[in-house]
Amino acid sequence: MGRLRRARTGESMKVPLLDLKAQHESIRHEVEQAIRRVVDSQAFTLGPEVEALEKTLADYCQCRYAVGVSSGTDALLCSLMALEIGPGDEVILPTFTFFATAGVVARLGARPVFVDIEADTYNIDPARVESAVTAHTKAIIPVHLFGQCADMDALLAIARSRSIPVVEDAAQAIGAEYQGRRAGSMGQLGCLSFYPTKNLGGFGDGGMIVANDAELAARCRSLRVHGFRTDEPYYHDRVGGCFRLDALQAAVLRVKLNHLETWTQARRRNARRYDELFARLAVACPVVRPGNRMIYNQYVVRVPNRDRVRTALTAAGVGTNIYYPLSLHLQPCFAHLGYKSGDFPVAERATQEVLALPVYPELTVTQQRRVAEALGDALSG
């Protein structure tokens, strides 16, 4: 791209990977009112704010029940506890995902069983899942990575034929859809994260479990408060944990949830614009499967010489990140499981090529053009 065009869009322009301040300024007054409401009530743990958020989010996710918890990680942990996963059990999950998906399995004394991913969507490969099932398999965790649902029909068929529960890791996918069904609504349990960088982010950690099964939802409600009986405090039928969602987080999230669809449409619009801007560049843009609604928690491209390209983009003021630089089966903490380099070649190649670019809702057209110019220069440099 020529010098003249770079000058028009601003060669010195900086484009962060994410700008939370821009979003906050647009809703500052609403958020401050919500926080003041909680402070005035002095009810900081669970309570009406959490209950109201649970009801609204259950509806949004096309589920009957929602259980507010302390983080996306704890949503996964509490879900597996509700399914009574423990030592001697195996849980199948993708090797290319955030650490928590496997970490919670290991924390319960169960064995993470890693499988490879699809090359185009980065989601778990159902064919690999089927071959990984054993008599010890007690759950399957598909991760809806970067905001696109995994191939749930294929996965659910495998799970149902063997009576294996499915826990959807929808931490990056609130509002994503698969054939008209919302992320989190298709398995026995769905797990959401409200970490500040998520499409629906709080003012700290927070999470939610969604479900259509009344008994599982009740177990999760009990487990989040140390296994209390729901109708009889200080009597414990099971050992749980402290997984409660704070009322302050719920109040902030209630405000933000009202804007989520507008922000999601902006992310999708930004993604389409990138697809057009990158059409002549040597990059592989995100692939969205037919029937899927992707919500672009991340806009991830594949590029040759990724690390060199990233260094050049950083020098040009464009924020990037690598999700993820090392597959889980090669993480040092899982060395005892016996996996080795080359076991999952699709995921291992992705770790060398993926690069996340800014796609947040407030991103301007000018900023996106600057990203495209900087990327073109980086690729040709």
Side-chain angles (χ1 to χ4, degrees):
M1 299 187 181
R3 287 282 178 187
L4 180 60
R5 186 172 181 186
R6 280 204 301 272
R8 286 201 301 268
T9 58
E11 191 168 345
S12 62
M13 177 185 295
K14 293 188 181 300
V15 186
L17 180 66
L18 181 64
D19 185 357
L20 292 177
K21 290 183 179 180
Q23 184 177 97
H24 178 65
E25 286 304 315
S26 69
I27 58 171
R28 175 189 289 272
H29 180 65
E30 293 177 80
V31 169
E32 289 176 350
Q33 281 189 319
I35 291 174
R36 191 176 301 114
R37 182 174 68 240
V38 175
V39 172
D40 289 344
S41 75
Q42 288 294 291
F44 294 113
T45 303
L46 297 178
E49 293 288 347
V50 173
E51 290 168 7
L53 177 66
E54 288 172 339
K55 184 180 186 306
T56 308
L57 255 176
D59 291 341
Y60 183 80
C61 293
Q62 300 176 349
C63 290
R64 294 174 62 195
Y65 309 102
V67 182
V69 293
S70 40
S71 68
T73 299
D74 286 338
L76 287 164
L77 179 62
C78 189
S79 294
L80 294 185
M81 292 172 70
L83 294 171
E84 299 182 339
I85 303 296
D89 295 335
E90 295 178 353
V91 178
I92 297 173
L93 62 145
T95 186
F96 188 73
T97 183
F98 181 62
F99 180 81
T101 315
V104 296
V105 176
R107 284 178 63 185
L108 293 175
R111 178 185 176 91
V113 175
F114 299 115
V115 297
D116 216 339
I117 58 171
E118 298 173 330
D120 55 353
T121 67
Y122 309 108
N123 280 326
I124 193 168
D125 185 340
R128 306 298 179 186
V129 170
E130 187 159 26
S131 62
V133 173
T134 73
H136 300 289
T137 303
K138 294 300 185 287
I140 299 169
I141 307 181
V143 180
H144 304 318
L145 204 65
F146 304 144
Q148 176 166 212
C149 290
D151 185 352
M152 290 302 293
D153 281 346
L155 292 165
L156 290 171
I158 295 167
R160 286 167 182 158
S161 68
R162 296 163 175 81
S163 299
I164 301 170
V166 171
V167 177
E168 295 177 67
D169 184 340
Q172 299 181 17
I174 186 169
E177 294 179 4
Y178 175 88
Q179 307 297 332
R181 291 167 285 174
R182 283 277 164 96
S185 70
M186 293 169 276
Q188 275 67 33
L189 294 161
C191 300
L192 307 174
S193 170
F194 305 132
Y195 189 73
T197 59
K198 296 296 193 290
N199 292 29
L200 180 62
F203 278 14
D205 282 310
M208 189 77 71
I209 300 167
V210 292
N212 287 304
D213 184 290
E215 183 179 350
L216 281 176
R219 282 190 213 169
C220 290
R221 289 187 188 280
S222 172
L223 286 165
R224 72 176 172 181
V225 285
H226 300 285
F228 277 11
R229 293 179 186 174
T230 54
D231 59 346
E232 205 170 8
Y234 305 109
Y235 288 83
H236 304 258
D237 293 320
R238 54 180 63 86
V239 176
C242 186
F243 306 140
R244 298 178 298 234
L245 179 63
D246 289 339
L248 280 168
Q249 296 298 344
V252 171
L253 290 164
R254 289 179 65 195
V255 170
K256 289 191 167 188
L257 184 56
N258 290 329
H259 300 272
L260 180 59
E261 278 300 304
T262 299
W263 294 336
T264 296
Q265 291 304 325
R267 284 177 179 270
R268 287 164 57 81
R269 184 169 56 249
N270 290 343
R272 288 193 297 270
R273 187 176 295 119
Y274 271 147
D275 291 345
E276 296 170 359
L277 289 168
F278 298 163
R280 296 186 181 182
L281 300 182
V283 300
C285 295
V287 172
V288 181
R289 293 281 177 85
N292 276 5
R293 182 197 194 220
M294 186 171 182
I295 54 89
Y296 294 97
N297 178 246
Q298 302 293 343
Y299 185 94
V300 175
V301 297
R302 297 179 84 129
V303 296
N305 302 310
R306 191 268 316 280
D307 293 342
R308 180 183 61 77
V309 169
R310 188 187 187 203
T311 298
L313 287 173
T314 300
V318 174
T320 64
N321 210 342
I322 298 171
Y323 306 107
Y324 297 93
L326 186 66
S327 299
L328 293 181
H329 70 284
L330 298 178
Q331 293 288 350
C333 64
F334 292 133
H336 65 284
L337 297 176
Y339 294 103
K340 62 185 184 304
S341 180
D343 282 347
F344 305 115
V346 181
E348 289 173 37
R349 181 181 176 189
T351 63
Q352 302 303 310
E353 297 177 349
V354 295
L355 189 66
L357 300 174
V359 73
Y360 56 91
E362 297 77 21
L363 199 66
T364 67
V365 175
T366 302
Q367 285 176 311
Q368 286 196 270
R369 288 176 177 162
R370 175 59 190 146
V371 172
E373 291 168 356
L375 181 57
D377 288 346
L379 290 166
S380 61

